[in-house]
Amino acid sequence: MKNNREKNENNIKNTSDSQENSLLSKISELIEKSRAYVAHATNTAIVYTYYEIGRYIVEFEQSGKTRAEYGKGVLKRLSENLTDIYGKGWSVETLTKCRKFYQTYSISSERQTKFIKKEKLSDIQTNFSQNFTLSWNHYQILMRIENPDERHFYEIEAKQQNWGYKWLQRQVASSLYERLALSKNKNEVMKLSQKGQIVENPSDIIKNPIALEFLGLRTESAYTESKLENAIISKLQTFLLEMGKGFLFEARQKRFTFNEDNFYVDLVLYNRILQCYVLVDLKTDKLSHQDLGQMQMYVNYFDRYVKLDFEKPTIGILLCKSKDDALVELTLPKDTNIYASSCELCLPDKELLQAKVREWAEEFNEKNEES
């Protein structure tokens, strides 16, 4: 009898614990959602406030004040008065950023007038939050980008990929837009600014070069492929983010045996968007035709013996210190799924990449005008 009573008491206790855990889970979920809502609402209010401050400043400037007078006195006096009333946070630099923010993202004056006059403040902020979903820190980075196509690309990617502002800053500094553009067909470049990075084909995941500055390896120092691999594994999350959308890690030094010989793939990744294996081989010297042939063999093996029927053909990527594009083109067949990308241990020269993209854009526009 005693044992049965103890069992019943334990069952009641377990049931009680289960119910309490369920209650705790529901309340925790509510609190998390509420905090997220408050954070989003606060961010929207901050961004909206800075946008409207910028609008007031620009409208004041356009009412007859010259830029010289505006720049020398008005902003400084405005900063001093706001600081007296509201305390720190209203420096000339902040007000200048507000002005720049409005100038960069302002809608047409006719629509702006209707928008402000006909809507309640709460409605304005609701509509505003649908268009401005990033934080003020994000917009401070974005509005420094002069090229509107490039700026729109980063804005789309930051929203879709949920980038923090520090990662956005890194991607801009690493010239992600230019590197993707230069890895694509010229006809595809313009789509980057309209839709962001769309991953539909193997070539869509290729960047040239791959920026590995986060590994902390010195460019002037000699390093082995093993050391490079170890550095990548130690920074794996950042490496996968640099590789692009949809990458997952499966293995390093993946061994497979064929005709009693063992072979090792440096890194085996999987792209969930393309649904295929991505094999990465690291080369610290100039890429050779033997390296390309070896990767072709790796890809063939995975296609024939590893991938499942529903999966797409395997992709091979050789990350190398340097390469000869003519040799790569001559060695590989035209319909190959193998790509060679140079990797750099420092951030690439942004001005040089921008110049190349501008050159491509000009050629693209000239062809469109002729046709």
Side-chain angles (χ1 to χ4, degrees), residues 78 328 364:
L78 183 60
V328 174
F364 179 84

Side-chain angles (χ1 to χ4, degrees), residues 113-155:
T113 303
K114 288 182 181 179
F115 192 59
I116 298 299
K117 286 184 177 180
K118 292 188 177 181
E119 301 285 346
K120 296 179 181 178
L121 179 60
S122 58
D123 294 333
I124 292 172
Q125 291 183 339
T126 299
N127 292 330
F128 186 89
S129 67
Q130 294 173 355
N131 295 315
F132 293 85
T133 58
L134 299 173
S135 73
W136 175 240
N137 286 332
H138 285 86
Y139 288 115
Q140 289 184 81
I141 297 167
L142 290 168
M143 64 188 178
R144 291 199 295 265
I145 302 174
E146 294 183 5
N147 181 352
D149 291 335
E150 180 184 353
R151 182 172 60 248
H152 196 218
F153 163 79
Y154 285 116
E155 187 174 0

Side-chain angles (χ1 to χ4, degrees), residues 15-209:
T15 302
S16 176
D17 288 345
S18 175
Q19 292 172 343
E20 287 184 11
N21 287 337
S22 176
L23 176 63
L24 175 63
S25 177
K26 290 178 180 178
I27 293 176
S28 296
E29 182 180 357
L30 177 62
I31 292 173
E32 292 298 329
K33 286 182 178 179
S34 298
R35 286 180 174 178
Y37 175 80
V38 170
H40 176 72
T42 301
N43 172 67
T44 300
I46 291 172
V47 174
Y48 171 77
T49 300
Y50 286 151
Y51 181 88
E52 286 298 291
I53 288 173
R55 181 171 72 88
Y56 291 148
I57 292 172
V58 169
E59 289 178 351
F60 177 82
E61 177 189 12
Q62 292 174 343
S63 66
K65 301 292 182 181
T66 64
R67 290 194 177 185
E69 181 184 350
Y70 167 82
K72 287 180 180 178
V74 174
L75 215 56
K76 183 179 178 182
R77 290 192 295 274
L78 183 60
S79 170
E80 291 171 350
N81 289 330
L82 289 173
T83 301
D84 287 341
I85 299 171
Y86 299 107
K88 295 181 179 180
W90 302 104
S91 64
V92 172
E93 180 183 6
T94 297
L95 297 176
T96 302
K97 288 178 180 178
C98 293
R99 178 176 178 270
K100 175 69 173 176
F101 181 45
Y102 174 77
Q103 290 176 322
T104 303
Y105 285 95
S106 61
I107 56 182
S108 68
S109 58
E110 180 182 351
R111 185 181 165 201
Q112 179 77 30
T113 303
K114 288 182 181 179
F115 192 59
I116 298 299
K117 286 184 177 180
K118 292 188 177 181
E119 301 285 346
K120 296 179 181 178
L121 179 60
S122 58
D123 294 333
I124 292 172
Q125 291 183 339
T126 299
N127 292 330
F128 186 89
S129 67
Q130 294 173 355
N131 295 315
F132 293 85
T133 58
L134 299 173
S135 73
W136 175 240
N137 286 332
H138 285 86
Y139 288 115
Q140 289 184 81
I141 297 167
L142 290 168
M143 64 188 178
R144 291 199 295 265
I145 302 174
E146 294 183 5
N147 181 352
D149 291 335
E150 180 184 353
R151 182 172 60 248
H152 196 218
F153 163 79
Y154 285 116
E155 187 174 0
I156 292 172
E157 288 297 302
K159 291 176 182 178
Q160 291 181 349
Q161 303 302 310
N162 198 26
W163 287 350
Y165 75 91
K166 289 185 177 180
W167 187 251
L168 170 62
Q169 190 173 39
R170 187 265 173 189
Q171 295 292 56
V172 174
S174 72
S175 307
L176 175 63
Y177 173 76
E178 291 84 1
R179 289 186 290 137
L180 283 174
L182 294 173
S183 301
K184 291 181 172 291
N185 182 290
K186 294 178 183 179
N187 293 326
E188 297 293 317
V189 173
M190 299 305 169
K191 291 182 180 180
L192 286 173
S193 64
Q194 300 166 0
K195 300 180 180 180
Q197 183 187 9
I198 304 298
V199 177
E200 295 176 338
N201 304 300
S203 59
D204 294 332
I205 64 173
I206 303 303
K207 300 189 193 99
N208 196 22

